[in-house]
């Protein structure tokens, strides 16, 4: 029997390609030039399976043009690149990579918070530029992390990981806002208290965004929300571009409406709003929160294992729309 055809849309670990080749006729993209929408459609025609990343959009147009497609495994926990309703309607199974990246991403959220609050990259640029001529009492004085109030918007697995790091490691008071409140046992484990969004904005010394992107969360943080924050506060976004209004944030940073921001994700990335590139009080990283070698391997293997489980046993390890399995 011939093997089903699989497109791996971006470069990936060779060991994962070898594993998939046992079950699929694989087309790779090891040169790693991202496909345009039209190229992705061309590549997916005649394929039964796809291994995608956050930049590969699978929507009604793609599905209509690629009727052989049965399963898409996203190598990401976020899946706003998938039109899940359209995939379910077309009977295409979608999977993501939860859990395996939780702790690594929470580590990074904390690293970005610390770099931002303590002005680490700003001071390094100063040193590298040869400007360090003398010590002075307020040189790169930032804000404290220990004992401060940590605010978390979006309290899923990663948000809870950040809460635990803050409460247990740094003695922070943790407050959060989420669509649904955690149960009492989870709140106790994270030492976190539920507050309204307005209270969160007003009280946090460090506000970390970890909510999924959807039309409902678009520009959850804009000029109005930034105006409610403390002028000494920092804002950290490791969630998705589009959750923050980047133009409004750049203005708030320039006006010192808030003290600083740490951003791993951007509206329209990999482009970055020009104003964010010129304000000094922002730490910028290129969407690397899950980028430890062991975690990226775990994500790639989980995506591959979802594809294999689907074709071998008509099941998936981490399905997003299990209804599509029943419809197969
Ligand atoms: C990915 C992410 O690196 O998992 C997610 O949702 O944002 C990152 O871990 C990125 O989406 C590429 O797929």
């Amino acid at each position: 029997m011939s093997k089903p055809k699989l497109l791996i849309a971006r470069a990936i670990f060779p060991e994962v390609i070898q594993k998939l080749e046992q079950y699929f006729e694989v087309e790779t993209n090891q040169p790693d030039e991202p496909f345009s929408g039209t190229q992705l459609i061309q590549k997916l025609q005649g394929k039964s399976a796809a291994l995608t990343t956050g930049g590969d959009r699978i929507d009604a147009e793609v599905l209509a043009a690629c009727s052989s497609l049965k399963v898409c495994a996203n190598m990401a926990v976020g899946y706003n690149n998938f039109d899940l309703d359209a995939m379910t309607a077309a009977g295409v199974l979608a999977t993501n990579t939860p859990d395996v990246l939780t702790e690594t991403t929470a580590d990074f959220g904390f690293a970005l918070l610390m770099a931002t609050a303590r002005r680490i990259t700003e001071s390094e640029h100063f040193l590298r530029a040869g400007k360090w001529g003398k010590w002075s009492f307020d040189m790169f004085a930032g804000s404290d992390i220990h004992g401060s109030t940590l605010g978390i918007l979006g309290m899923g697995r990663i948000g809870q990981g950040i809460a635990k790091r803050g409460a247990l490691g740094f003695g922070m008071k943790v407050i959060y806002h989420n669509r649904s409140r955690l149960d009492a046992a989870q709140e106790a484990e994270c030492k976190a208290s539920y507050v309204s969004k307005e209270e969160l904005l007003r009280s946090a010394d460090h506000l970390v965004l970890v909510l999924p992107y959807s039309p409902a969360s678009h520009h959850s943080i804009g000029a109005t929300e930034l105006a409610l924050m403390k002028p000494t506060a920092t804002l950290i976004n490791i969630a998705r571009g589009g959750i923050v209004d980047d133009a409004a944030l750049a203005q708030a940073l320039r006006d010192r409406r808030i003290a600083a921001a740490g951003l791993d994700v951007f509206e329209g990335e990999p482009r970055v709003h020009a104003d964010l590139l010129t304000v000094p009080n922002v730490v910028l990283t290129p969407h690397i929160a899950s980028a430890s070698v062991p975690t990226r391997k775990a994500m790639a293997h989980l995506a591959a294992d979802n594809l294999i489980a689907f074709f071998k046993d008509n099941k998936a390890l981490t399905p997003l729309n299990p209804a599509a399995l029943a419809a197969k």
Side-chain angles (χ1 to χ4, degrees), residues 53-54 75-78 101 240 287 290 296 299:
T53 63
M75 187 181 141
V77 66
L101 49 60
R240 274 290 179 275
H287 201 149
S290 67
R296 283 287 165 83
M299 292 164 70

Side-chain angles (χ1 to χ4, degrees), residues 6 11 36 50 54 79 127 132-134 154 182 204 232 237 278 302 307 325-326:
L6 162 68
S36 68
Y79 51 91
L127 182 154
W132 186 23
K134 61 180 188 319
L182 300 183
T232 50
N237 187 7
T278 56
L302 178 54
L307 295 172
L325 274 176

Side-chain angles (χ1 to χ4, degrees), residues 211-228:
L211 64 168
Y213 180 80
S214 71
S217 63
H218 184 73
H219 286 187
S220 290
I221 302 291
T224 311
E225 291 75 18
L226 290 161
L228 293 176

